[in-house]
Amino acid sequence: TSHFVALQIGVLLKGTCYLAEEIFHLQSRHHGSFWRALSACFPLHWYGPMLLICGSAYVALLNGDGQPLDLHLGLASLFQLFTLALGLH
């Protein structure tokens, strides 16, 4: 479950980076529509349910090791950023 959550965080971070780049091309590529740019960076038709399922499973299966949930998610986010920065995906 942790692996799937980390993968979803990676997709979210990658989409955020793409969106930051697409903001500069709203007029030329997306005809001024922020929602078109958003849907181009995040495939919302499948990403929303997948994020909800993985997040729910992660919270439900958290093993109670005494660490807060935000620490786990923060470490998973840092790992995914490191993986993206090194091009290991």
Side-chain angles (χ1 to χ4, degrees):
T1 305
S2 297
H3 177 69
F4 286 122
V5 169
L7 288 175
Q8 293 304 309
I9 289 172
V11 171
L12 180 66
L13 292 172
K14 187 184 274 190
T16 303
C17 292
Y18 288 154
L19 183 62
E21 194 271 329
E22 289 296 318
I23 292 293
F24 297 107
H25 304 286
L26 280 179
Q27 294 301 323
S28 61
R29 293 183 186 165
H30 305 288
H31 307 290
S33 174
F34 178 75
W35 295 111
R36 284 185 182 179
L38 188 66
S39 65
C41 297
F42 297 101
L44 297 176
H45 62 278
W46 69 268
Y47 183 70
M50 182 63 77
L51 185 62
L52 181 66
I53 291 168
C54 287
S56 298
Y58 184 72
V59 170
L61 296 175
L62 191 62
N63 60 1
D65 61 354
Q67 300 295 328
L69 181 62
D70 58 345
L71 177 66
H72 285 276
L73 294 177
L75 289 173
S77 299
L78 265 148
F79 175 74
Q80 286 299 321
L81 282 172
F82 186 67
T83 303
L84 289 172
L86 293 178
L88 299 175
H89 57 279

